[in-house]
Every structure is written in C-alpha cells, then in structure tokens.
Amino acid sequence: MTTSAQEYLKKVLMSPVYDVAVNSEFVHLDKFSAVLGNDVWLKREDQQPVKSFKLRGAYNKISHLDEASLEAGIITASAGNHAQGIAYCASRKNIQATIVMPETTPDIKVEAVRNFGGNNVNVVLHGTSFDQASQESKRLAALHGYTMIPPFDDPDVIAGQGTIAKEMLEQNPNLDVVFIAVGGGGLAAGMSVYLKQLKPSIKIVAVESSESACLQAALKAGEPTPLPFVGIFADGVAVKTIGTETFRLCQQYVDEVITVNNDELCTAIKDIFDDTRVIAEPAGALSVAAMRKYAKQNEVTGKVFGGVLCGANINFHTLRYVSERCELGEQKEAVFAVKIPEKKGAFKHFCELLGGKIITEFNYRFASDKEAHIFVGVKLRRGQEEFAELMRTLSASNYPCLDMSDNEMAKLHVRYMVGGRPPALLNEHLFSFEFPEQPGALMTFLKTLGERWNITLFHYRNHGAAEGLVLAGFDFPDTERADFEAHLEQLGYQYAEETENPAYKFFLSDVNGIFN
C-alpha cells in the first residue's frame, strides 16, 4: 500500500530518532557565502555518533519492528555508513544484527562496525561488491529468518531521514533552495516530502555524483533503471538503481537534479573545511558542490541555501587525491599538454610565454631530435578566461597545446607516467580498470588474461576506496580483439578502452598525431 504524503509527515513528526541521534547544528558558512553571494547554511550530520545521517533511518525502522522481528535478529548489507548506523542501533537496542560487507571493504570501516556493535553484531565478509554482499544477506535472511533492514527503500527509513528537514526548517525557516545528496534516494525522498508540505515554495535540488546518477537515469526512463556501472570515489552514493518508493517521492517533490564530478566534489570538501575545519567524505560534500555549480549556472545571488553534510567517514588516504584535485574543480588550476621544438632556447622561450604564472606541475620528456613533450599545471587567478588567453598565446607562438583539465585518464595516470614511449611499433591497446582492493587481485587479473597477450604498460592508482584504478596496455593484433574482450568479460571488472585518448597518444603511444 502506498504511503501518503500526510502519513509521511506524521511519521517524521513522531519518529523516535532522538533516542540515539542528536539535533545537529545548522551552521552558517561565512567564507563560502561570501564567495557565492548567497546565504549558505550547512546541516552538520557529521555530528551524529556514527558520523553520518544513516543512523536516523536505521533507528526509525528498527523502532517500528514488532517483538518477534526483533527477537529473530536483523540483517543488512552495507559497506559504509548504513552498516555503522545498524551496528550502533543494535547495541543500543540490545538486539542481534548480522551485517554483510564486501571482502573489499577497507579494514577501517569493518572495525568501525565491530566497535559500534560490540557483541551484538556479527560481521560477514562476502563477495567483492555490494551486489554480491546484498545477495548473501538475502540468502541468510531467508535461511535464518532474520529481519531485513533496507538502506533506503522503506517508508520508515525514509521518514527517519526526513527528520533532518524538520530540524532545518526549525533552525532556519527562511530557506529558499535546499540541496540534497542522492544515492539510493532515502535522504532526498524523506526531506523533500516533508519540506514541500510545510513550505511548498522551497526549491528542492537533488544532487548526484556524475558517476552514479541513478535518479537522473530513472527520471529519463520514467522508472528506476540500473546503471551499467558506478564510480568508486563517492562511495557513499555509489548506487546502481534508485529505490522504487524513493523514486516515486523524488519524482513528485524534487524540482531539479544536478550532477557534479570528482573535481567539483574535491573542491567542496575544501570549501567545507575552510569554514568548519571538518573533513567531509566525498558523498557528504555533494550538496556544497552543487551550490557552487547552481549559483554560477543560474547567476543566482541573495538567496538562502541549505545543504546537508551527510557524512564524514572519509578514508585518510583519500585526502591525497582530494588535495590534488580540488583546485581543478575550483578552476584555480589547469593542466595541459604542449609540444615544443627540441632546439636551444625553446624551453626558455616557452617558460617566458607563461608570463610569470605559478607552475604547479611540470613534466618534461625528450621525444625525438625534433620535439619535446611537456605536461604542465598552472595556477589561475581569473579561471577559464585566463587559461583561454594562455592557450591562444602559446598557439600563436607555434607551441601546439591541448587542454587536459577534463581528461580523467591524464589526471589519474598519465601525469605520473609522462615520458615512456615504446622503442618499437606495437599493436598496443590501452584499457582502464576498476581493480578490487583485495589479496590476490592482481594475480587473478593476470591468470584470467593468461600468457597469450603481452602487458606493455601498467599503472595502479589508489584513492582510498575499496577499489583502485589501473591503466594497462596490451599488445595484440586486431584479429584477436574478440578473444581478448571475451577474457575481459570473464574477468568481471569494470573497464573501458582508452586507446584513442589524446593524453595517451601524446605522451605514451608510438603514434604521435593528435595535433596533425
């Protein structure tokens, strides 16, 4: 039976979440407000005992279970914040919980779940992905009669998350636009159904990672539809398919959907840190990333913005990646490739053309007796306008250049590999992979491919998630492509071909024709 808007309102108002959750602060971001020209407020859900909002929905759902369901024990599948929320609730309610997590889950998250749950929680590590862990949780629930606690697609879970909206309106009733992160949609559904009933004039902007935009895909299709794959950086919202009930509510109450990329998320993490000294996890920074984009695209000023810092469970090693990428997201840095003649004075002349700009990165490689290739990063004071001027100046002086600021492969891999060209012509084909962080993963990769194809290039990049990023080159003739792709499908990793990527062609391949 469909839960009505009025029933959701009642569920939110009557929710017992404050048995475990705190009424988190709704803080004003002074510096960010000045940058945007809008009044920006941020709901600090990092202040919850488990450092995320997930505690609210988990506790509300558990609190509505009957004694028989509680006695049977509860179960869920999660690799992150939902798992920690369930563990905390199980300890407080003194019930038994089984939490299935992928074997690839970082140890820090597994230990956090065990610490929150204590003797009330049994952690089961199964599979290499959330989908595999979820299937195992369903099998165990059927086998043992456990009560399933969904992470988002459940009216009680949705209502628990909606308590955030209730607090926000009480703390600042003057909100004009509210930005809400979307993974499975529980937070956006719960908040929007509440806000639109209490203050219909509020504009609701749902925010997704561009690598996991399941709401946008569902709106386009008219129903929840699975994404072929999701990115791993904003792992807190890495959901392939939005929930059925969450989609119904978002479709009705959300006014607009914005997607943001990883660079924009890194910038938002820095924006939050600059004002609060809190380090948000990537998914937790989605609303702030969207505020910057929304204000710029719509030329909006003088409005009251509200957002949710929905989690701060960040892996420490992710900070290296965030630091590298945040200024690209702010458009305070640009990276580009440039070809210079290999002759005396050319290098000096090129540096003079940069006009005193601060150089953030400089990779130089002798390419032949006629030319050299350079990967350059520069600081920008005036954003894209300044960079466009620089590109025109270089091109006019016969220094062909190529903007790499939006080239993900260049930023993840090639900038660390500049300078390697094969000594002889190869039938080289380049592929990127998402590589699970688990013992034996590399050996599995190599065994599956076998010894039929020579690996000509390999670069691994870890940014603190359950999966790393690999760039690999293989030498095989076109006649063997079908066999090679069959092996890749057998491997089961997410992959994409990068052979035509201009960063590869310019710096690493034996074909040099991107400016021709």
Side-chain angles (χ1 to χ4, degrees), residues 433 448-449 482-493 495:
F433 299 87
T448 303
L449 290 174
D483 289 347
F484 180 80
E485 291 183 349
H487 274 67
L488 293 188
E489 291 299 325
Q490 181 184 345
L491 187 66
Y493 298 163
Y495 69 91

Side-chain angles (χ1 to χ4, degrees), residues 232-484:
I232 60 176
F233 179 56
D235 56 346
V237 290
V239 176
K240 284 189 174 183
T241 311
I242 195 168
T244 303
E245 176 67 356
T246 56
F247 174 66
R248 181 183 74 84
L249 294 170
C250 288
Q251 188 178 38
Q252 185 172 354
Y253 296 109
V254 167
D255 296 298
E256 183 177 341
V257 180
I258 287 181
T259 61
V260 295
N261 62 33
N262 290 353
D263 289 348
E264 290 165 333
L265 282 176
C266 291
T267 298
I269 292 171
K270 180 177 179 292
D271 287 331
I272 292 170
F273 178 80
D274 285 345
D275 260 302
T276 66
R277 293 299 184 262
V278 171
I279 302 175
E281 64 185 89
L286 276 163
S287 61
V288 170
M291 289 178 189
R292 182 184 284 273
K293 194 167 189 173
Y294 177 87
K296 182 177 180 181
Q297 288 181 345
N298 297 283
E299 299 181 346
V300 173
T301 59
K303 297 294 185 180
V304 181
F305 287 176
V308 184
L309 197 177
C310 49
N313 288 309
I314 189 169
N315 188 316
F316 183 79
H317 298 293
T318 304
L319 297 178
R320 174 180 57 187
Y321 176 89
V322 172
S323 177
E324 289 174 356
R325 303 290 288 267
C326 63
E327 293 208 328
L328 285 165
E330 283 184 288
Q331 296 187 344
K332 290 183 178 179
E333 183 187 21
V335 292
F336 61 97
V338 62
K339 181 192 295 185
I340 68 172
E342 189 57 59
K343 65 180 182 181
K344 291 180 180 179
F347 189 34
K348 179 174 178 287
H349 183 229
F350 168 76
C351 292
E352 288 172 345
L353 289 173
L354 294 181
K357 288 181 173 57
I358 297 173
I359 297 173
T360 58
E361 185 162 0
F362 204 100
N363 294 306
Y364 172 90
R365 178 63 170 172
F366 175 90
S368 70
D369 59 356
K370 294 183 178 180
E371 62 189 40
H373 295 166
I374 304 175
F375 187 98
V376 187
V378 293
K379 281 262 192 183
L380 301 173
R381 296 182 179 85
R382 293 181 286 111
Q384 286 301 302
E385 178 186 346
E386 181 182 358
F387 183 51
E389 291 173 3
L390 175 60
M391 297 286 275
R392 287 193 293 269
T393 298
L394 292 173
S395 296
S397 301
N398 295 318
Y399 290 96
C401 45
L402 186 68
D403 184 7
M404 295 282 178
S405 302
D406 293 323
N407 189 312
E408 197 66 14
M409 193 185 85
K411 293 182 289 186
L412 278 173
H413 297 287
V414 174
R415 70 196 304 175
Y416 305 103
M417 305 170 67
V418 169
R421 287 180 181 278
L425 288 175
L426 299 171
N427 289 309
E428 188 172 59
H429 303 265
L430 197 68
F431 291 84
S432 59
F433 299 87
E434 288 190 4
F435 211 72
E437 292 281 4
Q438 65 184 76
L442 177 58
M443 190 54 64
T444 300
F445 179 83
L446 297 174
K447 284 181 177 178
T448 303
L449 290 174
E451 299 179 0
R452 182 172 172 182
W453 297 289
N454 182 41
I455 294 178
T456 56
L457 174 154
F458 197 91
H459 182 257
Y460 166 79
R461 180 75 170 149
N462 180 352
H463 52 52
E467 294 176 318
L469 303 171
V470 165
L471 188 70
F474 303 89
D475 184 13
F476 61 83
D478 290 338
T479 55
E480 297 183 12
R481 170 173 283 277
D483 289 347
F484 180 80

